[in-house]
Amino acid sequence: IEIINGCICCKVRGDLVDALKRLYQKVETFDGVIIETTGLADPAPVVQTFFAETNDGEDSLERMYKLDSVITVTDAKYIIDRLDEEKPEDTDNEAEQQVCFADKIILNKTDLVTDETELANIEKRLRSLNPQAPILRCQHSQISPKELLNIGAFDLERVLEFDPYFLGEFKQPRHDQSVSSLSTKVEGEVNMSLLDNWIRRLLHDDGEALYRYKGIIAVKGMEKKFIFQGVGHFFSGTFGGQWKNTEKRQSAFVFIGKNLSTEMLKAGFEACREMKELRFSIGTNVRANVGTFQLGKVIDQWDSGNAYRIRLRDGKEIFAPVDINEYVRAA
């Protein structure tokens, strides 16, 4: 299928969507679709197509296709040169983008780099940009198809397997490139309402700078893990995977993007954590904000991720998502 001069990596997603929908009419004759972009491609528009094209119609791309994974092939001989290329201001380095978006990185032509130390340094550089993607070495592009197909990288349940070697304190690689990865593992639990507001603001303000991100969050009052991942402005998350009694409740996530601020991300997440005891115990009379403050009684704490469940004098039950005076006050 030829799209815009043979290239499907343009920023106009409409042509790609139309082509995939036409191709779907022949769906019984194939098992999947492989989209190959050029070496100069920005992978973001292609990946975001499968997140942006969502509606309830039978002809929505979401109903027709499921994005499996992004595979990036790198040339061991020249990849460092490509990553170090100076680009005009406000222009992205396509090689960096392709590495950052990858779920797997194929390090090809390793026979042209005979020094094992040099190969190890190449892999280290790639991991500094994308610490979550496995790197597979090969020669002459010879690699088993099972390493490329049915990976399920965009299945949220697969995020539960997320246990990269780099997790610990907030980390940012020490190199000068504007593209980098940030990762952390934080003990304790977060307030779901605060987390939701933080994510919305983060995507609104910095969505263009975020290439890929994923994580597992421990939410106060929830017995299941909140798992999420996203591409740019397009975010998906759900609760899945039970916390075990012996398992430490902690959050782990990684962000890959451009000009990321370690301090901003750290401060934003820290503000979502629930570290202090709730002010009102069960049975306490309070005033709850339902447009105006009305008298009620606390009947539960941390119900479905909310700080309080309150029964008003008229018998109606409401949630106070955060333990602050704007939601609930002493009677």
Side-chain angles (χ1 to χ4, degrees):
I1 294 178
E2 184 174 303
I3 303 174
I4 309 218
N5 298 323
C7 176
I8 62 171
C9 39
C10 60
K11 293 186 180 295
V12 182
R13 301 192 191 104
D15 293 332
L16 176 57
V17 172
D18 291 342
L20 287 169
K21 288 181 177 180
R22 291 198 307 271
L23 193 61
Y24 187 76
Q25 298 171 8
K26 303 177 182 179
V27 69
E28 293 183 357
T29 64
F30 57 79
D31 298 312
V33 176
I34 296 176
I35 299 174
E36 182 179 5
T37 66
T38 70
L40 296 176
D42 172 5
V46 177
V47 175
Q48 290 174 352
T49 294
F50 293 90
F51 285 82
E53 175 64 18
T54 57
N55 57 61
D56 295 329
E58 290 297 325
D59 63 341
S60 73
L61 208 62
E62 185 181 30
R63 290 180 180 271
M64 296 177 178
Y65 297 94
K66 182 174 71 171
L67 187 60
D68 181 65
S69 61
V70 177
I71 310 294
T72 294
V73 181
T74 59
D75 186 320
K77 182 71 173 177
Y78 297 107
I79 182 59
I80 299 300
D81 292 338
R82 297 292 177 264
L83 294 175
D84 287 340
E85 281 183 357
E86 293 289 336
K87 294 289 183 177
E89 190 175 355
D90 297 326
T91 301
D92 293 322
N93 183 313
E94 294 87 354
E96 283 187 335
Q97 287 182 311
Q98 291 177 10
V99 170
C100 289
F101 270 92
D103 297 296
K104 260 186 190 179
I105 299 171
I106 310 302
L107 186 58
N108 190 33
K109 301 183 181 179
T110 55
D111 54 312
L112 300 182
V113 181
T114 56
D115 186 347
E116 176 59 33
T117 300
E118 184 178 353
L119 276 174
N121 287 334
I122 292 171
E123 291 184 346
K124 183 178 180 181
R125 176 69 178 278
L126 295 174
R127 286 196 180 97
S128 74
L129 294 170
N130 188 341
Q132 65 173 347
I135 300 173
L136 305 179
R137 297 183 183 184
C138 71
Q139 300 175 10
H140 308 292
S141 297
Q142 294 181 354
I143 195 162
S144 171
K146 71 179 182 181
E147 298 288 355
L148 309 177
L149 305 174
N150 299 319
I151 295 172
F154 286 86
D155 295 342
L156 281 173
E157 291 296 327
R158 289 295 299 273
V159 180
L160 292 173
E161 302 173 12
F162 170 54
D163 188 23
Y165 71 93
F166 53 87
L167 291 176
E169 294 298 318
F170 259 89
K171 294 182 181 179
Q172 183 160 9
R174 295 181 178 178
H175 53 81
D176 296 330
Q177 287 85 350
S178 60
V179 176
S180 61
S181 61
L182 303 174
S183 60
T184 190
K185 181 165 62 178
V186 181
E187 293 186 10
E189 300 169 303
V190 303
N191 180 289
M192 188 64 205
S193 180
L194 296 177
L195 178 68
D196 182 64
N197 289 335
W198 176 60
I199 291 174
R200 289 176 184 273
R201 183 171 182 176
L202 181 66
L203 298 184
H204 179 271
D205 294 346
D206 300 296
E208 292 294 333
L210 295 173
Y211 293 165
R212 295 287 298 270
Y213 46 94
K214 65 169 62 175
I216 302 169
I217 305 295
V219 176
K220 188 78 171 180
M222 301 298 290
E223 296 305 314
K224 291 188 175 181
K225 303 172 183 179
F226 182 71
I227 51 180
F228 73 89
Q229 70 169 330
V231 177
H233 290 287
F234 301 100
F235 171 93
S236 59
T238 189
F239 284 96
Q242 202 83 7
W243 288 102
K244 300 176 183 177
N245 292 333
T246 57
E247 192 174 7
K248 185 179 294 184
R249 292 178 71 103
Q250 58 189 7
S251 300
F253 50 82
V254 59
F255 289 90
I256 302 173
K258 187 174 182 179
N259 297 322
L260 300 180
S261 169
T262 306
E263 291 305 315
M264 183 272 291
L265 287 171
K266 181 178 181 180
F269 184 77
E270 289 287 343
C272 302
R273 296 175 68 192
E274 281 290 348
M275 304 296 291
K276 62 184 184 299
E277 293 290 328
L278 294 181
R279 294 176 295 161
F280 306 115
S281 60
I282 295 174
T284 303
N285 291 321
V286 295
R287 290 184 297 147
N289 188 352
V290 291
T292 60
F293 281 91
Q294 297 185 18
L295 287 171
K297 179 182 290 186
V298 175
I299 60 174
D300 202 1
Q301 295 178 337
W302 296 118
D303 185 341
S304 302
N306 296 280
Y308 300 107
R309 183 154 59 96
I310 300 169
R311 181 177 293 126
L312 302 177
R313 289 289 179 87
D314 61 5
K316 182 180 179 181
E317 295 183 3
I318 64 164
F319 288 117
V322 186
D323 185 19
I324 56 176
N325 279 333
E326 283 76 6
Y327 288 107
V328 58
R329 300 175 179 177

